[in-house]
């Protein structure tokens, strides 16, 4: 039996990519997928390549959306799409590589972030999501793992640049109204669960705003929110056992303080400001009709505090002045939408011969076959990022 990583590495080598590092593996009902870092021999640059196992197990609809929506989203806080190609066993999406892991990995190390840093990160996330919504794309899987980090150095020191990735669950304004349960537990809005059981549609825009609220909450408090259900014990996993008809009446508790366990085991406590807690309660409002909207959120004084100069009016400029220019550049530099649709069709067509000879990657216990082990920069190499967007 051949290790899947070896199969991928050989196939990518014939396309001019030398695999350097294994980043992620998901074996899903709709087909397995791997994400790898590879050296692009033509440009001598690192790229990230997301490889989907070919065959009818892939959801054509989801793959087409992931490829086509991502292609059209050119924004400094969305990871850049480069190209798609087929190998005998995989459809591969090549992206610009974000070198410093994802935000979940940083949170795991830090426990939680100070309010100012959490706000700076949140401003970038909101800018990206607002842009996607402006283009009519609702992500439906916003989470810290899908926010990639590049630590940049500038005149004022080092800071985090965040970029949104993974459009596998996204829906467009022209697609059917979202009805299915999509996203990641813990980040999914209550009405999404409710409407899935009731087979009614929900608003992808409001669902993304809830997920943004969960991201901000986790940056500040580390864990997922506690939810109060009248006359019931508190549940950290709010969806477990929650009654369907109460889902959109849940109340998310917003603690007054952040508690961080520091190295010597002592707890460090700092207060979260009232405006920040108020905003969180409006983001994590279980009733989507009462939830704050993105335009309202972008006007709140807390959100606008220390707002990065380069983000002021950025989305508006992209939408207005640069729209036609970017469209032309996309058509010039990227594969056409028709070509990408053709590649997706070919990818789902049939199971390639010989698949039964290929085993899952040997990644148990973190060892990724013969690729280097994934290593994030440590706190000592990257100090006090102030997270202003670049
Ligand atoms: N362009 C990139 N640069 C660096 N790392 C990346 C890049 N794209 C993805 N990754 C890494 O791979 C991980 C998985 O990526 P992605 O979410 O696209 O895959 P997935 O199989 O859809 O995962 P999931 O199902 O968990 O959402 C990310 O959390 C990130 O750590």
């Amino acid at each position: 039996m051949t290790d899947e990583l070896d199969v991928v590495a050989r196939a990518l080598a014939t396309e001019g990519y030398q695999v350097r590092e294994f980043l992620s593996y998901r074996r899903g009902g709709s087909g397995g997928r791997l994400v790898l870092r590879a050296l692009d021999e033509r440009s001598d640059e690192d790229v990230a390549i997301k490889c989907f196992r070919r065959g009818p197990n892939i959801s054509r609809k989801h793959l087409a959306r992931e490829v086509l929506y991502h292609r059209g989203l050119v924004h400094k806080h969305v990871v850049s799409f480069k190209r798609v190609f087929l190998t005998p066993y995989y459809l591969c999406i090549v992206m610009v590589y974000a070198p410093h892991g994802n935000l979940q990995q940083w949170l795991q190390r830090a426990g939680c972030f100070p309010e100012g840093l959490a706000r700076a990160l949140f401003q970038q996330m909101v800018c990206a999501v607002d842009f996607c919504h402006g283009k009519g794309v609702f992500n439906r899987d916003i989470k810290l793992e899908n926010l990639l980090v590049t630590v940049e150095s500038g005149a004022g020191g080092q800071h985090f640049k965040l970029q949104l990735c993974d459009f596998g669950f996204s829906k467009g304004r022209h697609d059917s109204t979202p009805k299915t349960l999509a996203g990641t537990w813990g980040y999914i809005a209550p009405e999404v669960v409710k409407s899935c059981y009731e087979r009614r549609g929900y608003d992808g825009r409001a669902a993304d705003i809830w997920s943004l609220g969960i991201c901000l909450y986790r940056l500040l408090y580390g864990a997922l929110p506690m939810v109060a259900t009248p006359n019931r014990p508190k549940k950290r996993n709010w969806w477990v056992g929650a009654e369907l008809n109460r889902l959109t009446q849940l109340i998310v508790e917003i603690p007054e303080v952040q508690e961080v366990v520091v190295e010597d085991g002592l707890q460090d406590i700092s207060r979260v400001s009232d405006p920040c807690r108020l905003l969180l309660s409006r983001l994590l409002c279980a009733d989507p009709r009462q939830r704050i909207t993105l335009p309202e959120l972008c006007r709140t004084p807390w959100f606008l505090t220390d707002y990065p100069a380069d983000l002021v009016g950025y989305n508006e400029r992209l939408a207005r002045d640069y729209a036609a220019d970017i469209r032309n550049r996309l058509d010039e530099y990227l594969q056409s939408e028709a070509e990408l649709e053709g590649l997706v069709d070919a990818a789902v067509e049939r199971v390639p011969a010989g698949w039964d000879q290929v085993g899952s990657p040997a990644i148990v216990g973190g060892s990724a076959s013969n690729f280097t082990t994934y290593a994030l920069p440590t706190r000592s190499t990257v100090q006090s990022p102030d997270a202003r967007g670049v």
Side-chain angles (χ1 to χ4, degrees):
M1 178 99 21
T2 319
D3 186 309
E4 186 166 359
L5 285 173
D6 296 329
V7 176
V8 182
R10 275 201 300 274
L12 295 185
T14 63
E15 289 281 332
Y17 298 102
Q18 285 176 31
V19 174
R20 293 287 198 224
E21 193 179 347
F22 162 83
L23 298 172
S24 142
Y25 175 65
R26 167 93 41 185
R27 183 191 227 142
S30 59
R33 50 195 189 267
L34 302 109
V35 185
L36 303 155
R37 172 170 73 91
L39 176 74
D40 181 345
E41 288 168 350
R42 280 154 298 216
S43 62
D44 206 26
E45 279 171 8
D46 275 348
V47 289
I49 308 184
K50 188 166 178 179
C51 308
F52 292 80
R53 280 183 176 205
R54 292 177 63 170
N57 276 347
I58 306 186
S59 155
R60 190 209 175 274
K61 193 172 63 179
H62 287 128
L63 185 59
R65 285 182 192 152
E66 173 146 15
V67 167
L68 294 169
Y69 290 148
H70 195 176
R71 175 193 185 271
L73 296 169
V74 181
H75 188 274
K76 67 167 106 182
H77 294 301
V78 175
V79 79
S80 299
F81 172 97
K82 286 171 92 80
R83 67 180 280 243
V84 173
F85 62 88
L86 288 176
T87 75
Y89 292 141
Y90 295 93
L91 176 138
C92 304
I93 304 177
V94 185
M95 297 166 269
V96 168
Y97 174 66
H100 299 127
N102 63 51
L103 202 47
Q104 167 64 22
Q105 292 164 323
W106 282 87
L107 182 70
Q108 252 163 8
R109 288 178 170 221
C112 64
F113 292 120
E115 187 175 320
L117 177 53
R119 174 172 44 221
L121 297 169
F122 186 65
Q123 286 163 338
Q124 298 182 40
M125 293 176 205
V126 169
C127 185
V129 173
D130 180 47
F131 169 75
C132 295
H133 285 189
K135 300 276 286 181
V137 177
F138 312 118
N139 183 289
R140 299 200 302 162
D141 197 18
I142 296 166
K143 57 180 176 180
L144 300 183
E145 292 88 333
N146 285 343
L147 288 154
L148 305 180
V149 176
T150 303
V151 180
E152 296 190 325
S153 302
Q158 290 180 309
H159 53 266
F160 284 158
K161 177 180 179 181
L162 291 189
Q163 289 181 307
L164 188 60
C165 74
D166 192 0
F167 294 88
F169 279 132
S170 56
K171 270 238 168 187
R173 142 183 341 123
H174 303 299
D175 297 325
S176 57
T177 312
K179 286 187 196 65
T180 46
L181 193 59
T184 301
W185 285 118
Y187 289 87
I188 300 176
E191 73 275 12
V192 174
V193 182
K194 189 165 185 261
S195 65
C196 168
Y197 281 100
E198 291 174 349
R199 299 193 174 278
R200 289 217 317 256
Y202 60 87
D203 178 1
R205 198 179 293 259
D208 276 355
I209 292 170
W210 172 278
S211 306
L212 279 172
I214 297 283
C215 289
L216 177 59
Y217 186 103
R218 293 206 58 206
L219 293 180
L220 288 164
Y221 302 106
L224 287 170
M226 305 277 258
V227 167
T229 47
N231 308 323
R232 278 173 183 256
K234 287 176 185 173
K235 290 190 196 307
R236 186 165 290 283
N237 293 338
W238 59 266
W239 57 87
V240 179
E243 287 171 36
L244 210 53
N245 56 5
R246 289 199 189 177
L247 277 173
T248 50
Q249 294 160 26
L250 293 174
I251 299 161
V252 176
E253 292 184 0
I254 314 291
E256 275 179 38
V257 292
Q258 305 177 293
E259 291 177 24
V260 201
V261 179
V262 287
E263 260 167 32
D264 50 9
L266 297 174
Q267 272 192 347
D268 193 13
I269 292 186
S270 60
R271 238 187 138 263
V272 177
S273 72
D274 289 342
C276 176
R277 294 176 59 231
L278 177 67
L279 175 61
L280 267 174
S281 67
R282 299 196 60 204
L283 289 161
L284 296 177
C285 170
D287 181 349
R289 292 163 306 178
Q290 307 291 326
R291 196 172 299 151
I292 194 167
T293 62
L294 273 188
E296 285 166 350
L297 157 63
C298 293
R299 287 196 298 270
T300 60
W302 182 84
F303 181 77
L304 289 172
T305 304
D306 296 333
Y307 197 71
D310 60 302
L311 293 190
V312 177
Y314 177 68
N315 284 351
E316 292 73 13
R317 282 198 303 281
L318 274 184
R320 199 183 50 228
D321 306 341
Y322 308 148
D325 187 34
I326 287 176
R327 229 184 351 261
N328 293 340
R329 276 172 33 215
L330 285 183
D331 291 342
E332 198 175 325
Y333 292 115
L334 296 179
Q335 291 150 296
S336 69
E337 293 188 351
E339 185 183 345
L340 293 174
E341 295 243 24
L343 292 171
V344 171
D345 286 338
V348 289
E349 228 166 50
R350 63 192 161 78
V351 182
W355 243 136
D356 50 347
Q357 296 305 310
V358 180
S360 300
I363 53 170
V364 183
S367 84
S369 189
N370 44 4
F371 302 126
T372 52
T373 315
Y374 189 34
L376 281 171
T378 59
R379 280 284 175 189
S380 55
T381 56
V382 183
Q383 283 164 358
S384 313
D386 68 6
R388 259 176 288 121
V390 176

